Amino acid sequence: GQSAGLLGKPSGAPSPMLIDLGKTRPNAVYRLRLTVTDSIGSTSSTVVSLTTNGPPTSGTFAVSPYRGTALTTEFEFLLDGWSDDVDDYPLTYTYGYRLVQDAALTPLVADQYASAWFLTTLPQAPNVNITCVGRVF
């Protein structure tokens, strides 16, 4: 059923069994039956349930002011109103920018940051626009 394509090898393959995490869905429960067979053919099995985490939801991202001068204007990044399962708190945040579309993200903080609010200047862009990015974890 749902495990089709989820396992890194066929379900009857010997250990180690790998789960392709890129194929799981958020907030889903996966039940895995684990069966072992000893050298005389006796078997035992159990079912293990794995619940995947989902991303935070329902928030907004704003950057203010809309326009400014490179290396001078302080831009306020605000990730507001995000919520998640109680077990996933506290939320953390990252901030970054792209100078051109499809370019690699340049991080503004070295690691996940504890504040939904961030203030920074931005560099000169080769064109007029910089894409600002905020992520919530």
Side-chain angles (χ1 to χ4, degrees):
Q2 291 187 8
S3 65
L6 182 66
L7 300 176
K9 11 174 155 172
S11 61
S15 294
M17 185 62 66
L18 302 175
I19 296 175
D20 185 348
L21 296 178
K23 293 184 179 177
T24 60
R25 293 188 326 255
N27 297 317
V29 176
Y30 293 91
R31 289 177 184 78
L32 304 175
R33 176 177 299 281
L34 306 173
T35 303
V36 295
T37 304
D38 67 16
S39 60
I40 61 170
S42 297
T43 62
S44 180
S45 64
T46 188
V47 175
V48 176
S49 294
L50 302 173
T51 304
T52 58
N53 190 14
T57 60
S58 305
T60 60
F61 176 51
V63 178
S64 172
Y66 182 73
R67 292 191 172 127
T69 304
L71 304 173
T72 303
T73 303
E74 287 194 320
F75 292 91
E76 177 185 30
F77 288 48
L78 180 61
L79 287 157
D80 192 36
W82 293 89
S83 62
D84 206 345
D85 297 328
V86 68
D87 294 338
D88 293 336
Y89 285 95
L91 297 177
T92 56
Y93 310 86
T94 62
Y95 302 93
Y97 64 89
R98 288 186 177 92
L99 292 176
V100 293
Q101 188 174 352
D102 299 326
L105 181 67
T106 301
L108 290 166
V109 291
D111 202 355
Q112 293 181 9
Y113 191 67
S115 177
W117 177 80
F118 186 72
L119 192 64
T120 189
T121 60
L122 293 169
Q124 179 74 39
N127 58 24
V128 177
N129 298 314
I130 290 180
T131 301
C132 296
V133 177
R135 294 184 176 148
V136 184
F137 299 89

